[in-house]
Amino acid sequence: MKIGIIGATGYGGLELMRFLHNHPEAQQIDLYTSSEEGTLFSTKYPHTTNLYDQPLLKIDQEQLTDYDVLFTSTPAGVTSRLLPPLIGSGPKLIDLSGDFRLKEAEDYEHWYKKTPAPKEAIEQSAYGLTEWNKEAIRKADLIANPGCYPTAVLLSLLPLIKEWLIDPKGLIIDAKSGVSGAGNTPGPMTHFSETNENLSIYKINQHQHIPEIEQGIELFGNQKTPVTFTTHLVPMTRGIMSTSYAPLSECVTEEKLLDCLREYYDGMPFIRVMPESAKFCTKQVYGTNFCDIHVKVDPRTNRATIVSVIDNLVKGAAGQAIQNMNVLFGLKETTGLNEVPLFI
Amino acid sequence: MKIGIIGATGYGGLELMRFLHNHPEAQQIDLYTSSEEGTLFSTKYPHTTNLYDQPLLKIDQEQLTDYDVLFTSTPAGVTSRLLPPLIGSGPKLIDLSGDFRLKEAEDYEHWYKKTPAPKEAIEQSAYGLTEWNKEAIRKADLIANPGCYPTAVLLSLLPLIKEWLIDPKGLIIDAKSGVSGAGNTPGPMTHFSETNENLSIYKINQHQHIPEIEQGIELFGNQKTPVTFTTHLVPMTRGIMSTSYAPLSECVTEEKLLDCLREYYDGMPFIRVMPESAKFCTKQVYGTNFCDIHVKVDPRTNRATIVSVIDNLVKGAAGQAIQNMNVLFGLKETTGLNEVPLFI
Amino acid sequence: MKIGIIGATGYGGLELMRFLHNHPEAQQIDLYTSSEEGTLFSTKYPHTTNLYDQPLLKIDQEQLTDYDVLFTSTPAGVTSRLLPPLIGSGPKLIDLSGDFRLKEAEDYEHWYKKTPAPKEAIEQSAYGLTEWNKEAIRKADLIANPGCYPTAVLLSLLPLIKEWLIDPKGLIIDAKSGVSGAGNTPGPMTHFSETNENLSIYKINQHQHIPEIEQGIELFGNQKTPVTFTTHLVPMTRGIMSTSYAPLSECVTEEKLLDCLREYYDGMPFIRVMPESAKFCTKQVYGTNFCDIHVKVDPRTNRATIVSVIDNLVKGAAGQAIQNMNVLFGLKETTGLNEVPLFI
Amino acid sequence: MKIGIIGATGYGGLELMRFLHNHPEAQQIDLYTSSEEGTLFSTKYPHTTNLYDQPLLKIDQEQLTDYDVLFTSTPAGVTSRLLPPLIGSGPKLIDLSGDFRLKEAEDYEHWYKKTPAPKEAIEQSAYGLTEWNKEAIRKADLIANPGCYPTAVLLSLLPLIKEWLIDPKGLIIDAKSGVSGAGNTPGPMTHFSETNENLSIYKINQHQHIPEIEQGIELFGNQKTPVTFTTHLVPMTRGIMSTSYAPLSECVTEEKLLDCLREYYDGMPFIRVMPESAKFCTKQVYGTNFCDIHVKVDPRTNRATIVSVIDNLVKGAAGQAIQNMNVLFGLKETTGLNEVPLFI
């Protein structure tokens, strides 16, 4: 397989390269950038010395059609222009940005404050939440890889919503992320001295992942409702935890919730429904494509607490993108993603 | 003022000593311990060299009556036995443990799994949430200093609940704490390699601060309801953030919530109702007795998000204890607590 | 005392404000900036709400003569122009930048790559290593406050060098710093995701503090030699540790080294010569003006290991600046600096 | 290959399992423990759910002979008794503890304060510094896997010492380690609240890795000298940096040092001699078996600064152990170890 990565110098690009290096089908990996053409990748990122000692290439629309797969990991507003002409031109396109995730153009405009991608292109794309959209992914030329928060949130809630075990109208989602989600551009929110030993809340009710979550609940859970969703910045590099609270439907027990999750995800290698344990934490999926889910019912309030953890850079970005590549090419889903978490 | 600290080697004790060192009325500070009698404090904690080069003293019930104030910062189940005989014997007693916080003995037994303090002693004690119970504190001989989580939660919610601006029946409280809340005894939950770069959720629906929060809502907010309360462990040493979600009462706006908070806390030096800002974070109160509160309304869901931050070891423990001492002795509340946060 | 702080929005400025807030002689504190005139300080830094709710002022050379003290905490190359006209004009000038530290203009040009301050101004200034230059400081109008690394290094080595107990020709200084030393401008070296869980070495043999250390050894230790000095970036916000290695002079024992240090620093409140302990660490001086020193002799190699720790923002910057202000105005050296370290 | 891991619940064991999971020759991996027999591994370490859902086995000397390889990752003093009877009984033995590293029994007794392994067993063992001892490793039944610090130190210094380019008599080694080196037993040195945001120096001149370093310099560098070696604890989980200082031999330049290193390690896949870069840091080898080396010469002092970084749990423990297994079984050295560092 001949693979191109556009936006190779960002964190999404770095993670793609980390996994593709050991992917048995990846024969050639070319790295594209908008600004550092000619620089050796291992000069920019010395940790890749002996692994990626190749020059960064300039993006050239014509050459791009030569690839089997193109991954794009760019800021919002780039691939909405770059990718539409490439649809159907040869390569499978897997976009890690938010440009093709929202089906409604107005939603994109409202939440991203940018010009949306052409309607037609959006219609041709498949939303890449692998466990929930495999059939569509298999047939699509363009995959809109999900956002990190929506991945953690939707995977943990969809079975329970779809089966009417919890009431999405009362849903509160309190999400927490490590700092790498903010990417590699230095700024005040990622300045070590103000981020270390500090916990922040940000974008209350305003995160651009809100419409993506609501769209996922509608598409896959068959229910339409606005949700309360809040994001916190945790002084760690990797990891997302989503803690959701929802009223239980009548006569629903903890065991019923667990059974529902276990049934939906039976045979799906990256979803682990976890039993009671002293500690449920982000590091149990560190560096891997796992999404772990944990559920507790409080009989005092008749509410469920549903918790999920992912590595934001893996299942929340590059890992799921490669999982989607595997689906697109008929490979085993775990190909190249078979890692044990770095719990320590 | 002659002051005794019982449990001086714990983190609560350390913080008391940090503030009392510069308290203008603290003339003598004696340090008591149950296990390291005779050891020089600065030998155990070299950072106090030249500041607390005195030996740790053995607890002796008779000598304890000589103090003007006794602070007790001990594990659950100790002061329920130690303090009752001392009530009215001379010293004002300020207990940082949970032993006198719950008015109902059964609640203590249920959540703490220990024998409760004598009913009479509990009745004589005042709950030390300074901003809400000053009159009772002033007259009491025994102060039950609040827990760290209840302090952050109650201060941010009580005015809104009392004024019926939010509906406590739908209250979800998602709380996050730094690791120092777990004290100075090493264990798996505080082992660096498993805590660093990791976010955990723990004691879902089972934290012993739940009944304390519900009691506070009843006592000061005049409403009785079970609440959903969940705690997370954040890889930082100090700081608590409480993020609460509640349905708004009819016609309530963000400005109305802010006005209510500002009115209740007008003239109270440690409560800061903060306007909109890019970043609302635990470090803005680091090392100080401040409790900062921030509120946002989501018109899409008609819910309020109410956020508060404290330093768990200061307003959540030693700082509030000294604030209560100041109230007890008719001093200005800020005496000895006039610090600027270490934002960096 | 009427005090002006120029460069108030940097970390040096923040720390000055933290200590001056409780300094009994600080009656008025004005905050100057080169770029954010009119902004309320507490809008920029919400943690100072209710403490510094005043507007940032534009620097105006004429008004500056009205102050009793002016602290300047600016990037290299600013005060070399700003301060010379102010010498003798009224205010005592305490410069936290490197512009007046090096007596030789060529050294400044070589290591800082900037135009040096006028020779005359440099001659009128006193190097502000308080414990070693008190007489000169007392008489000077302009104090060149030492660099953070030179403070930690010189305080630990000068007595031993001056007394010929160690041989400075063989001196190796391995220094480690927290990230706040890099200031508040975001950049790749301070980007959380690349700094957290990472230890870097930087500026090997090229740090601009090298000539300052060598000058200090010559001025106060009476020996002239180049030294090996290397700096590391540690994933923490505050703290410097200097680990120095030196050959022992003949017949010198560990006790002799300790005695020498104790004798030199007898009665000096901020220097603590620490006995053997299980742990010698930066947090034992956290947030305070202490410099702790520890010494070990290895009979196998006949070398001494001399370790010192400071808080880089306090004894390494703002704290020592205020200590120098106290000396200049005949106050007790500890005035306003009497804090207990935040070990936790 | 049938593999047994003794001491599977420690961090060394965890890392072995992480790499062996994807090792193409590892057919069966059995986990032995001294204390938690019968517990499912994934119950103890939930991050291994679906990966290692097998029970921990009781150590049984007779069964152990059935394996092709036995890894032992146990505290000092265990394998000195456990392994000698197994030498030559079938399995290749790879010991990650310090029990067989020191050739002189008195050294072991002096530095480890324990009874040494039988002299004969030590003589039969090969020191597992792969790049320097491959011939001996290939033929041995028992490999003494090197300590984490000696690995980082020796790999960076041996070529330069052996070629007389630096003078080992003047060698100063200042080493820094992440906290995972202390293992998984909670204690004061690893308690988060006292380790986070803190840098400690410990075991000055007393670390048990000193004799191992000196032995390595003698065996492979052909020079005998005591060295100065000091260890620091850095607030991060993984990573070791060794910063060494040494006088240069006459007429030696930086380029000569680099050439020497490049020549010695030519074709060795895990050693990367790195050119000048803005940042040389532990994270550039995070999670991998690389050892990166960097060298600078200071013409002012005629000394070299030699820096190396490894992941203490990989090249400093489990990774090198698997590398040695690959050598023992004639596999490519990189088999199962072909990871890209997690720089982020």
Side-chain angles (χ1 to χ4, degrees):
Chain A
M1 241 188 257
K2 204 178 153 190
I3 298 172
I5 299 176
I6 295 173
T9 60
Y11 292 167
L14 277 181
E15 277 297 271
L16 285 166
M17 293 161 66
R18 184 163 76 85
F19 285 105
L20 290 173
H21 182 68
N22 285 316
H23 194 289
E25 304 298 323
Q27 276 173 349
Q28 182 183 332
I29 302 168
D30 289 346
L31 310 177
Y32 287 89
T33 179
S34 61
S35 63
E36 297 172 86
E37 185 195 346
T39 306
L40 292 193
F41 194 82
S42 58
T43 300
K44 181 166 174 64
Y45 283 117
H47 75 280
T48 62
T49 301
N50 295 358
L51 306 169
Y52 285 100
D53 294 321
Q54 62 203 83
L56 282 159
L57 306 173
K58 192 179 167 181
I59 298 168
D60 169 339
Q61 199 97 5
E62 296 199 12
Q63 281 191 327
L64 295 181
T65 56
D66 279 357
Y67 292 94
D68 296 302
V69 198
L70 279 178
F71 292 97
T72 46
S73 184
T74 48
V78 173
T79 52
S80 58
R81 309 296 114 199
L82 179 69
L83 292 186
L86 290 166
I87 299 177
S89 73
K92 294 288 184 183
L93 308 170
I94 303 178
D95 181 34
L96 282 77
S97 88
D99 280 11
F100 297 91
R101 292 179 197 152
L102 300 182
K103 295 297 178 193
E104 300 298 329
E106 315 86 74
D107 283 348
Y108 183 84
E109 267 184 298
H110 175 72
W111 293 90
Y112 283 84
K113 319 278 180 221
K114 303 215 175 238
T115 309
K119 205 173 158 57
E120 210 185 43
I122 290 174
E123 277 164 8
Q124 288 174 282
S125 73
Y127 185 66
L129 190 66
T130 329
E131 282 77 8
W132 285 84
N133 210 22
K134 220 169 290 178
E135 283 319 301
I137 291 167
R138 209 165 269 147
K139 290 178 279 185
D141 283 326
L142 168 56
I143 309 297
N145 212 58
C148 50
Y149 285 122
T151 297
V153 170
L154 293 171
L155 288 173
S156 64
L157 297 180
L158 286 179
L160 310 180
I161 290 174
K162 198 172 168 196
E163 297 301 321
W164 294 85
L165 302 184
I166 57 172
D167 178 5
K169 301 253 172 306
L171 197 57
I172 308 283
I173 308 163
D174 188 285
K176 299 98 181 166
S177 175
V179 179
S180 62
N184 71 346
T185 307
M189 285 291 285
T190 59
H191 192 52
F192 185 87
S193 301
E194 302 180 20
T195 306
N196 175 43
E197 188 63 8
N198 197 4
L199 173 70
S200 302
I201 187 167
Y202 69 104
K203 290 195 183 176
I204 303 177
N205 303 324
Q206 295 184 326
H207 200 287
Q208 70 275 13
H209 285 171
I210 291 174
E212 188 179 340
I213 291 168
E214 292 173 356
Q215 172 182 282
I217 289 175
E218 191 179 353
L219 280 180
F220 304 113
N222 302 324
Q223 302 212 34
K224 191 172 169 63
T225 180
V227 299
T228 292
F229 174 73
T230 300
T231 48
H232 301 77
L233 195 66
V234 178
M236 60 188 193
T237 300
R238 285 168 183 255
I240 278 182
M241 180 180 286
S242 157
T243 316
S244 297
Y245 304 91
L248 287 174
S249 301
E250 241 174 285
C251 301
V252 171
T253 61
E254 196 167 297
E255 204 43 51
K256 206 160 181 176
L257 298 177
L258 284 165
D259 283 347
C260 170
L261 289 165
R262 286 196 198 105
E263 208 167 294
Y264 263 79
Y265 293 125
D266 184 44
M268 307 215 181
F270 294 120
I271 313 291
R272 302 190 295 192
V273 181
M274 304 291 277
E276 178 105 23
S277 77
K279 212 174 175 176
F280 185 81
C281 60
T282 57
K283 256 200 142 178
Q284 67 191 45
V285 298
Y286 206 88
T288 69
N289 204 45
F290 286 113
C291 173
D292 286 2
I293 307 175
H294 183 56
V295 164
K296 291 293 288 181
V297 158
D298 184 8
R300 299 171 66 254
T301 59
N302 206 36
R303 289 194 192 105
T305 304
I306 305 123
V307 199
S308 60
V309 290
I310 60 168
D311 183 319
N312 58 309
L313 296 177
V314 189
K315 185 63 179 168
Q320 187 157 236
I322 293 171
Q323 188 183 358
N324 284 327
M325 180 186 84
N326 290 340
V327 169
L328 278 163
F329 288 83
L331 303 170
K332 210 176 149 193
E333 265 179 67
T334 52
T335 312
L337 295 170
N338 226 339
E339 302 284 307
V340 179
L342 280 88
F343 176 62
I344 298 305
Chain B
M1 242 188 256
K2 205 177 152 190
I3 298 172
I5 299 176
I6 294 173
T9 59
Y11 291 168
L14 276 181
E15 278 297 272
L16 285 167
M17 292 162 66
R18 185 165 75 84
F19 285 105
L20 291 173
H21 181 69
N22 285 315
H23 194 290
E25 304 298 322
Q27 276 173 346
Q28 181 182 334
I29 302 168
D30 289 346
L31 310 177
Y32 287 88
T33 179
S34 61
S35 63
E36 296 172 87
E37 187 196 344
T39 306
L40 292 195
F41 194 82
S42 58
T43 300
K44 181 165 175 63
Y45 283 117
H47 75 280
T48 63
T49 301
N50 295 0
L51 306 169
Y52 285 99
D53 294 322
Q54 62 205 82
L56 284 159
L57 306 174
K58 193 178 166 181
I59 298 168
D60 169 341
Q61 199 97 3
E62 295 199 13
Q63 281 190 326
L64 295 181
T65 56
D66 279 357
Y67 292 95
D68 295 302
V69 198
L70 279 178
F71 292 98
T72 47
S73 183
T74 48
V78 173
T79 52
S80 58
R81 308 296 116 201
L82 180 69
L83 292 186
L86 290 166
I87 299 177
S89 74
K92 294 289 184 182
L93 308 170
I94 303 178
D95 181 35
L96 282 79
S97 89
D99 280 10
F100 296 92
R101 292 180 196 152
L102 300 182
K103 295 298 180 193
E104 300 297 330
E106 314 84 75
D107 284 348
Y108 183 84
E109 268 185 295
H110 175 71
W111 293 91
Y112 283 84
K113 320 278 179 223
K114 302 214 174 238
T115 308
K119 205 172 157 59
E120 207 185 45
I122 290 174
E123 277 164 8
Q124 287 173 284
S125 74
Y127 185 67
L129 189 68
T130 328
E131 282 77 9
W132 284 84
N133 211 21
K134 218 169 292 179
E135 284 318 302
I137 292 168
R138 209 166 269 145
K139 289 179 279 185
D141 282 325
L142 168 56
I143 309 298
N145 214 55
C148 50
Y149 285 121
T151 296
V153 170
L154 292 172
L155 288 174
S156 63
L157 296 179
L158 286 179
L160 311 179
I161 291 174
K162 198 173 169 193
E163 298 300 321
W164 294 85
L165 302 184
I166 57 172
D167 178 5
K169 302 254 172 303
L171 197 58
I172 308 284
I173 307 163
D174 189 285
K176 298 98 179 165
S177 175
V179 179
S180 62
N184 71 346
T185 307
M189 286 291 284
T190 60
H191 192 50
F192 185 87
S193 302
E194 302 180 21
T195 307
N196 177 43
E197 187 66 6
N198 197 3
L199 173 70
S200 303
I201 189 168
Y202 70 105
K203 288 194 185 177
I204 304 178
N205 303 324
Q206 296 184 324
H207 200 286
Q208 72 276 12
H209 285 171
I210 292 175
E212 188 179 340
I213 290 169
E214 292 174 355
Q215 172 182 284
I217 289 175
E218 192 179 351
L219 280 180
F220 304 113
N222 302 324
Q223 302 210 34
K224 192 172 169 61
T225 180
V227 299
T228 292
F229 174 74
T230 300
T231 48
H232 300 78
L233 195 66
V234 178
M236 60 188 193
T237 302
R238 285 169 183 254
I240 277 180
M241 180 180 285
S242 157
T243 315
S244 297
Y245 304 91
L248 287 174
S249 301
E250 240 174 285
C251 301
V252 171
T253 61
E254 196 166 297
E255 204 43 51
K256 208 161 178 174
L257 297 177
L258 283 165
D259 283 347
C260 170
L261 289 165
R262 285 195 198 105
E263 208 168 293
Y264 264 79
Y265 293 125
D266 184 44
M268 306 213 183
F270 294 120
I271 313 292
R272 302 189 296 191
V273 181
M274 304 292 278
E276 177 106 25
S277 77
K279 210 176 178 175
F280 185 81
C281 60
T282 56
K283 255 200 144 179
Q284 67 191 43
V285 298
Y286 205 86
T288 68
N289 204 45
F290 286 114
C291 173
D292 287 2
I293 307 175
H294 184 57
V295 164
K296 293 291 290 178
V297 158
D298 185 8
R300 299 169 67 256
T301 59
N302 206 38
R303 288 196 193 105
T305 305
I306 305 123
V307 199
S308 60
V309 289
I310 61 168
D311 183 318
N312 58 309
L313 296 178
V314 189
K315 185 63 178 169
Q320 187 157 238
I322 292 172
Q323 187 183 357
N324 284 327
M325 179 187 85
N326 290 339
V327 169
L328 279 163
F329 288 83
L331 303 170
K332 213 177 149 191
E333 265 179 66
T334 52
T335 311
L337 294 169
N338 226 339
E339 302 284 307
V340 179
L342 279 89
F343 177 62
I344 300 305
Chain C
M1 241 187 255
K2 207 179 151 189
I3 297 173
I5 300 177
I6 294 172
T9 60
Y11 291 166
L14 277 182
E15 278 298 271
L16 285 167
M17 292 161 68
R18 185 164 75 84
F19 285 106
L20 290 173
H21 181 68
N22 285 315
H23 194 288
E25 304 297 323
Q27 276 174 344
Q28 182 182 334
I29 302 168
D30 289 345
L31 309 177
Y32 287 88
T33 178
S34 61
S35 63
E36 296 173 86
E37 185 196 346
T39 306
L40 292 194
F41 194 81
S42 58
T43 299
K44 182 166 174 63
Y45 283 117
H47 75 280
T48 63
T49 301
N50 296 0
L51 306 169
Y52 285 99
D53 294 321
Q54 62 203 82
L56 283 159
L57 307 173
K58 193 178 165 179
I59 298 168
D60 170 340
Q61 198 97 6
E62 294 200 13
Q63 281 190 325
L64 295 182
T65 56
D66 279 358
Y67 291 94
D68 296 301
V69 196
L70 278 178
F71 292 97
T72 47
S73 183
T74 49
V78 173
T79 51
S80 58
R81 307 297 114 196
L82 179 70
L83 292 186
L86 289 166
I87 299 177
S89 73
K92 294 290 184 180
L93 308 170
I94 302 179
D95 182 34
L96 282 77
S97 89
D99 280 11
F100 296 91
R101 292 179 196 151
L102 300 182
K103 295 299 179 194
E104 300 298 329
E106 314 86 72
D107 283 348
Y108 184 84
E109 267 184 299
H110 175 72
W111 293 90
Y112 284 83
K113 318 280 181 219
K114 301 214 175 242
T115 310
K119 204 173 158 58
E120 207 184 45
I122 290 174
E123 277 165 8
Q124 288 174 281
S125 74
Y127 185 68
L129 190 67
T130 330
E131 281 77 8
W132 285 84
N133 211 21
K134 219 169 291 179
E135 283 319 302
I137 291 167
R138 208 166 269 146
K139 288 179 277 184
D141 283 324
L142 169 56
I143 309 298
N145 213 57
C148 50
Y149 284 122
T151 297
V153 170
L154 292 172
L155 287 175
S156 65
L157 296 179
L158 286 179
L160 311 180
I161 290 174
K162 198 172 168 195
E163 297 301 320
W164 295 85
L165 301 184
I166 57 172
D167 178 4
K169 303 252 173 306
L171 196 57
I172 308 283
I173 307 163
D174 188 284
K176 299 98 178 166
S177 176
V179 179
S180 62
N184 71 346
T185 307
M189 286 291 284
T190 60
H191 192 51
F192 185 88
S193 301
E194 301 180 21
T195 307
N196 176 43
E197 188 63 9
N198 197 4
L199 173 71
S200 302
I201 188 168
Y202 70 104
K203 289 195 183 174
I204 304 177
N205 303 325
Q206 295 183 327
H207 200 287
Q208 71 276 11
H209 285 170
I210 292 174
E212 188 180 338
I213 291 168
E214 292 173 357
Q215 172 183 285
I217 290 176
E218 192 178 353
L219 280 181
F220 305 114
N222 302 324
Q223 302 211 32
K224 192 172 169 58
T225 179
V227 299
T228 292
F229 174 74
T230 300
T231 49
H232 301 77
L233 195 66
V234 178
M236 61 186 192
T237 302
R238 286 169 182 254
I240 278 180
M241 182 181 282
S242 158
T243 316
S244 297
Y245 304 90
L248 288 174
S249 301
E250 239 173 288
C251 301
V252 171
T253 61
E254 198 167 295
E255 206 42 52
K256 207 161 180 174
L257 297 177
L258 283 165
D259 283 346
C260 170
L261 288 165
R262 286 195 199 107
E263 207 167 295
Y264 264 79
Y265 292 125
D266 184 44
M268 306 212 182
F270 294 119
I271 313 292
R272 302 189 295 192
V273 181
M274 304 292 277
E276 176 106 25
S277 77
K279 211 174 176 175
F280 185 82
C281 62
T282 56
K283 255 201 144 178
Q284 68 191 44
V285 298
Y286 206 86
T288 68
N289 204 45
F290 287 114
C291 173
D292 287 1
I293 307 174
H294 184 56
V295 164
K296 292 291 290 180
V297 158
D298 185 8
R300 298 170 67 256
T301 59
N302 207 35
R303 289 193 194 106
T305 304
I306 304 123
V307 199
S308 61
V309 289
I310 60 169
D311 183 319
N312 58 309
L313 295 177
V314 189
K315 185 64 178 171
Q320 186 156 238
I322 293 172
Q323 188 183 357
N324 284 327
M325 179 187 85
N326 290 340
V327 168
L328 279 164
F329 288 82
L331 304 169
K332 211 176 148 192
E333 265 178 68
T334 52
T335 311
L337 295 169
N338 225 338
E339 302 284 308
V340 179
L342 279 89
F343 176 62
I344 299 304
Chain D
M1 241 186 255
K2 205 179 151 190
I3 298 172
I5 300 177
I6 295 172
T9 61
Y11 291 167
L14 277 181
E15 277 298 272
L16 285 167
M17 292 161 67
R18 185 164 76 85
F19 286 105
L20 291 173
H21 181 69
N22 285 316
H23 194 289
E25 304 298 325
Q27 278 173 344
Q28 181 183 335
I29 303 168
D30 289 345
L31 310 177
Y32 287 88
T33 178
S34 61
S35 63
E36 297 172 85
E37 185 195 347
T39 306
L40 293 194
F41 194 81
S42 59
T43 299
K44 180 165 175 66
Y45 282 117
H47 75 280
T48 63
T49 301
N50 296 358
L51 306 169
Y52 284 100
D53 294 321
Q54 62 205 83
L56 284 159
L57 306 174
K58 194 179 164 181
I59 298 168
D60 169 341
Q61 199 96 4
E62 295 201 10
Q63 282 190 325
L64 295 181
T65 55
D66 279 357
Y67 292 95
D68 296 301
V69 197
L70 278 178
F71 292 98
T72 46
S73 184
T74 48
V78 173
T79 52
S80 58
R81 307 296 115 197
L82 179 70
L83 292 186
L86 290 166
I87 299 177
S89 73
K92 294 289 184 181
L93 308 170
I94 303 179
D95 181 35
L96 281 78
S97 87
D99 280 11
F100 296 91
R101 293 179 195 151
L102 300 183
K103 296 297 179 195
E104 300 298 330
E106 315 85 73
D107 284 347
Y108 183 84
E109 268 185 297
H110 175 72
W111 294 90
Y112 284 82
K113 319 278 181 224
K114 302 216 175 240
T115 310
K119 206 174 155 60
E120 207 184 45
I122 291 174
E123 276 164 8
Q124 287 174 281
S125 74
Y127 185 68
L129 190 68
T130 330
E131 282 76 9
W132 285 85
N133 211 22
K134 219 168 292 178
E135 284 319 302
I137 291 167
R138 208 166 270 145
K139 289 178 277 185
D141 282 325
L142 168 57
I143 309 297
N145 214 57
C148 50
Y149 285 121
T151 297
V153 169
L154 292 172
L155 287 174
S156 64
L157 297 179
L158 285 179
L160 311 180
I161 290 173
K162 198 173 167 193
E163 296 302 320
W164 294 84
L165 301 183
I166 57 172
D167 178 5
K169 302 251 171 307
L171 197 56
I172 307 284
I173 307 163
D174 188 285
K176 298 97 179 166
S177 175
V179 179
S180 62
N184 71 346
T185 307
M189 285 292 284
T190 60
H191 191 51
F192 186 87
S193 302
E194 303 181 21
T195 306
N196 176 42
E197 187 64 8
N198 197 3
L199 173 71
S200 302
I201 188 168
Y202 68 105
K203 287 195 186 176
I204 305 178
N205 304 324
Q206 293 183 327
H207 200 287
Q208 72 276 13
H209 285 170
I210 291 174
E212 188 179 340
I213 291 169
E214 291 173 357
Q215 172 183 285
I217 289 175
E218 191 178 352
L219 280 181
F220 304 113
N222 303 325
Q223 302 209 33
K224 192 173 168 60
T225 179
V227 299
T228 293
F229 174 73
T230 300
T231 49
H232 301 77
L233 195 66
V234 179
M236 60 188 193
T237 302
R238 284 169 184 256
I240 277 180
M241 180 180 284
S242 157
T243 315
S244 296
Y245 304 91
L248 288 173
S249 301
E250 239 174 289
C251 301
V252 171
T253 61
E254 196 166 296
E255 205 42 51
K256 207 161 181 175
L257 297 177
L258 283 165
D259 284 346
C260 169
L261 288 164
R262 286 195 199 105
E263 207 166 294
Y264 264 78
Y265 293 124
D266 185 43
M268 306 214 182
F270 293 119
I271 313 291
R272 303 190 295 193
V273 181
M274 304 292 278
E276 177 107 24
S277 77
K279 212 174 175 175
F280 185 81
C281 59
T282 55
K283 254 200 144 179
Q284 67 191 45
V285 299
Y286 205 86
T288 68
N289 204 44
F290 287 114
C291 173
D292 287 2
I293 307 174
H294 184 56
V295 164
K296 293 291 289 179
V297 158
D298 184 8
R300 299 170 66 257
T301 59
N302 207 36
R303 289 194 192 105
T305 304
I306 305 123
V307 199
S308 60
V309 289
I310 60 168
D311 183 320
N312 58 308
L313 296 178
V314 189
K315 184 64 177 168
Q320 187 157 238
I322 293 172
Q323 188 183 356
N324 284 327
M325 178 187 85
N326 290 340
V327 169
L328 279 164
F329 288 83
L331 304 170
K332 209 175 150 192
E333 265 179 68
T334 53
T335 311
L337 295 170
N338 225 337
E339 302 284 308
V340 179
L342 280 88
F343 176 62
I344 299 304

